[in-house]
Amino acid sequence: MVREIVVYPDKRLKMVSKEVERFDEELHTLLDDMYDTMRAKNGVGLAAIQIGVDWRALIINIPLENIPEGEDEQPKENTLEMINPVIIEKDGSTKFQEGCLSVPGVYEEVERAKHVKIEYFDRFGEKQTIEDDDFLSIAMQHEMDHLDGKVFIEKLSYMKRKKFEKEWKKRKKTS
Ligand code: CO
């Protein structure tokens, strides 16, 4: 089921999400709804708080490249579901132009670690480890920030942030 996206500057985006304790039906429904919502909005990732649920859960689904015309480039089975993720290694740095379904239409360059290694639980409560030094690394760091109440625009320089806030206010008034 597609749920409503929480849009900046909604206060819920500042919440520090809670650890998931039960890997049950309720969690599975949440993850399924997160996928439906992400797809409906053409996103590549979503944290639970972005649909108003303060649980440490996120999903990522990076579109497949070079697939036959008409085939789904973000099949559900390709979705990375991360519960209670923790970064256990991080190094290097890289810049990437990021966007966020909670700040629609805004794309800004953000600096993050290049490589991360993360421990997390899958939807069945099995412990998993993943590492990456490419787009997935950026996406995981972006989504994990949401679990701690952080949005990517908070990483912008003072001037860029000011400019963003001004334009965002203007846009909200006219929409
Ligand atoms: Co985001």
Side-chain angles (χ1 to χ4, degrees):
M1 188 180 80
V2 175
R3 301 211 211 168
E4 199 175 324
I5 297 253
V6 174
V7 173
Y8 183 87
D10 192 303
K11 284 194 185 73
R12 285 172 288 179
L13 294 172
K14 292 226 164 254
M15 291 175 78
V16 176
S17 293
K18 296 192 280 274
E19 296 246 319
V20 172
E21 283 168 3
R22 287 189 306 272
F23 295 80
D24 58 6
E25 195 69 37
E26 198 182 355
L27 174 68
H28 295 178
T29 302
L30 172 71
L31 291 165
D32 293 343
D33 287 356
M34 284 167 67
Y35 173 80
D36 293 343
T37 307
M38 182 195 73
R39 289 304 303 267
K41 302 285 180 183
N42 296 314
V44 299
L46 195 74
I49 196 62
Q50 291 182 275
I51 56 168
V53 178
D54 62 336
W55 290 5
R56 300 188 81 80
L58 64 89
I59 60 164
I60 294 170
N61 189 314
I62 296 170
L64 298 166
E65 286 173 42
N66 306 315
I67 54 160
E69 179 91 27
E71 251 173 60
D72 188 358
E73 53 177 20
Q74 287 177 290
K76 183 145 195 252
E77 61 270 23
N78 276 15
T79 307
L80 174 63
E81 300 175 332
M82 306 176 87
I83 320 297
N84 302 340
V86 178
I87 294 180
I88 53 169
E89 267 177 45
K90 99 200 246 187
D91 47 75
S93 96
T94 185
K95 281 183 181 166
F96 192 84
Q97 195 169 46
E98 299 184 13
C100 179
L101 292 179
S102 292
V103 196
V106 175
Y107 301 90
E108 292 284 356
E109 198 168 74
V110 172
E111 188 170 348
R112 296 192 185 274
K114 170 120 176 92
H115 165 257
V116 288
K117 187 171 180 181
I118 296 170
E119 266 179 12
Y120 66 98
F121 294 87
D122 65 21
R123 66 158 66 199
F124 305 107
E126 297 289 330
K127 198 172 196 173
Q128 309 284 350
T129 307
I130 191 166
E131 61 185 312
D132 191 69
D133 58 7
D134 207 340
F135 180 61
L136 177 60
S137 168
I138 308 283
M140 292 191 295
Q141 292 176 72
H142 175 115
E143 299 309 334
M144 280 183 72
D145 268 359
H146 280 300
L147 308 185
D148 290 321
K150 289 182 253 169
V151 178
F152 80 111
I153 44 161
E154 291 162 28
K155 295 178 86 76
L156 299 178
S157 69
Y158 178 74
M159 287 309 289
K160 273 194 168 170
R161 177 74 190 272
K162 252 178 99 165
K163 189 165 161 259
F164 159 77
E165 293 292 348
K166 207 172 145 189
E167 282 167 8
W168 191 252
K169 263 187 205 130
K170 213 187 328 176
R171 219 175 79 181
K172 291 211 99 179
K173 244 179 250 167
T174 52
S175 66

